[in-house]
């Protein structure tokens, strides 16, 4: 089994939904993978998603086996319940020089390896949609036959999308509940902040701009200062001031508990998806 040179490797996406498109955009934007080195395969060749991939200069096909045969890296980007069928379909083309990377929630490495030839190189990845703009967060876990160099290749690719970290497989679903689904929690929070702004008289467009910039600025302060979020929160809360009064309202509304429950619920659901 040989190490993969990502710049020369043919990268195939089986499936072209929102997550696949976010990753494709990120890879292209980074320049690490050229459009003529990427192929997308899906059962609906004339879908709107496939049209978007064609517009980016990618080759699109409706037949999985042929493109997998010519690939070195295969991203399985279909719904969790479809992963087993896709792997069984392409198993005959899975030689030892190929790397299979699943982005499907809840599908275990062992379950994928059962569908493929012995010693197949498999990696499980959980990215998120901000990969589209280079601010994604991804975690990945190596299968038992994956090479150390495979992990380096995937980490290199994922870092073009934003943050990347290798974890034990037991942490992939919990991480999915935090960063995978967490993007949606942040959008809900942003929308609510903007609605609050509108309620107190701020024009809608400005309210969204201020809410988005506020969340971006808060995130950068945590990442760049290394300080605990609680400390940064305390810095804003003057004794007897407006912010601590507002924090009290958030606590009354169960803001923290709601977010903790959201992460736990999403993580549990992610694990269940792979068992269907």
């Amino acid at each position: 089994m040989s190490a993969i040179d990502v710049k020369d490797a043919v990268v195939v996406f089986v499936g072209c939904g929102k997550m696949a498109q976010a990753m494709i955009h990120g890879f292209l934007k980074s320049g690490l993978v050229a459009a003529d080195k990427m192929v997308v395969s899906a059962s609906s060749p004339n879908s709107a998603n496939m049209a978007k991939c064609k517009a980016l200069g990618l080759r699109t096909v409706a037949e999985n086996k042929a493109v997998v045969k010519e690939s070195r890296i295969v991203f399985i980007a279909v719904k969790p319940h479809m992963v087993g069928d896709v792997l069984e379909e392409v198993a005959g083309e899975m030689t030892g020089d190929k790397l299979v990377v699943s982005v499907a929630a809840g599908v275990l490495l062992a379950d994928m390896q059962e569908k493929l030839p012995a010693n197949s190189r498999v990696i499980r990845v959980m990215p998120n949609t901000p990969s589209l703009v280079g601010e994604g967060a991804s975690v990945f876990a190596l299968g038992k036959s994956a090479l150390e160099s495979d992990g380096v290749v995937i980490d290199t690719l994922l870092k073009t999308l934003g943050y990347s970290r290798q974890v034990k497989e037991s942490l992939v679903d919990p991480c999915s509940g935090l960063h995978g689904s967490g993007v949606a929690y942040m959008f809900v929070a942003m929308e609510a902040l903007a609605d609050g702004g509108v309620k107190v008289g701020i024009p809608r467009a400005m309210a969204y701009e201020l809410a988005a910039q506020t969340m971006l600025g808060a995130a950068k302060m945590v990442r760049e200062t290394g300080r605990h979020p609680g400390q940064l929160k305390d810095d804003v809360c003057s004794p007897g001031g407006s912010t601590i009064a507002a924090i009290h309202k958030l606590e009354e509304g169960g803001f923290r508990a709601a977010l903790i429950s959201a992460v736990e619920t999403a993580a549990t659901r992610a694990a269940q998806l792979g068992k269907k």
Side-chain angles (χ1 to χ4, degrees):
M1 293 190 289
S2 58
I4 296 171
D5 182 347
V6 68
K7 288 192 174 182
D8 291 330
V10 174
V11 177
V12 167
F13 277 84
V14 178
C16 63
K18 288 184 173 62
M19 195 64 257
Q21 290 185 54
M23 297 176 76
I24 287 166
H25 274 273
F27 293 164
L28 289 174
K29 197 171 183 179
S30 74
L32 189 60
V33 184
D36 62 2
K37 291 288 187 179
M38 274 198 279
V39 187
V40 178
S41 175
S43 57
S44 303
N46 297 317
S47 69
N49 285 343
M50 289 289 263
K52 292 175 183 176
C53 292
K54 285 181 183 178
L56 293 171
L58 277 63
R59 182 157 60 95
T60 59
V61 299
E63 210 283 309
N64 295 331
K65 291 175 70 174
V67 291
V68 167
K69 186 175 183 179
E70 66 180 86
S71 70
R72 287 298 302 277
I73 304 173
V74 183
F75 283 93
I76 306 297
V78 297
K79 297 294 185 184
H81 70 277
M82 299 170 63
V83 172
D85 290 341
V86 169
L87 293 179
E88 287 181 347
E89 177 189 355
V90 302
E93 309 301 333
M94 288 297 177
T95 52
D97 64 338
K98 300 185 190 301
L99 177 60
V100 181
V101 184
S102 170
V103 300
V107 181
L108 299 176
L109 289 165
D111 292 337
M112 291 187 282
Q113 287 163 336
E114 281 185 6
K115 304 287 185 181
L116 297 170
N119 300 319
S120 291
R121 295 152 66 178
V122 180
I123 293 181
R124 187 178 168 194
V125 171
M126 180 50 60
N128 66 9
T129 55
S131 299
L132 180 67
V133 294
E135 293 293 347
S138 303
V139 298
F140 66 95
L142 303 186
K144 63 182 181 181
S145 298
L147 306 179
E148 185 177 336
S149 62
D150 294 336
V152 173
V153 166
I154 292 304
D155 188 50
T156 300
L157 283 169
L158 295 176
K159 276 187 166 64
T160 69
L161 310 177
Y163 172 91
S164 169
R165 182 164 180 171
Q166 183 176 344
V167 299
K168 297 177 182 178
E169 188 182 15
S170 60
L171 284 177
V172 174
D173 290 329
C175 287
S176 173
L178 176 56
H179 79 281
S181 300
V183 178
Y185 319 154
M186 295 302 100
F187 289 144
V188 171
M190 188 185 305
E191 184 179 33
L193 281 172
D195 283 346
V198 171
K199 185 176 181 181
V200 297
I202 301 171
R204 172 70 64 181
M206 184 188 299
Y208 277 125
E209 289 175 355
L210 287 170
Q213 184 61 38
T214 298
M215 295 186 76
L216 175 63
K220 288 194 74 171
M221 284 188 76
V222 172
R223 289 299 304 273
E224 294 183 10
T225 67
R227 296 179 67 200
H228 191 282
Q231 293 177 314
L232 295 170
K233 177 264 297 178
D234 288 349
D235 288 348
V236 189
C237 294
S238 302
S242 59
T243 304
I244 193 61
I247 293 293
H248 184 199
K249 286 296 182 183
L250 290 177
E251 297 290 2
E252 284 184 338
F255 183 71
R256 292 173 190 261
L259 286 176
I260 292 168
S261 294
V263 173
E264 183 179 38
T265 300
T268 300
R269 182 59 178 157
Q272 292 170 345
L273 290 173
K275 294 178 173 60
K276 288 193 169 185

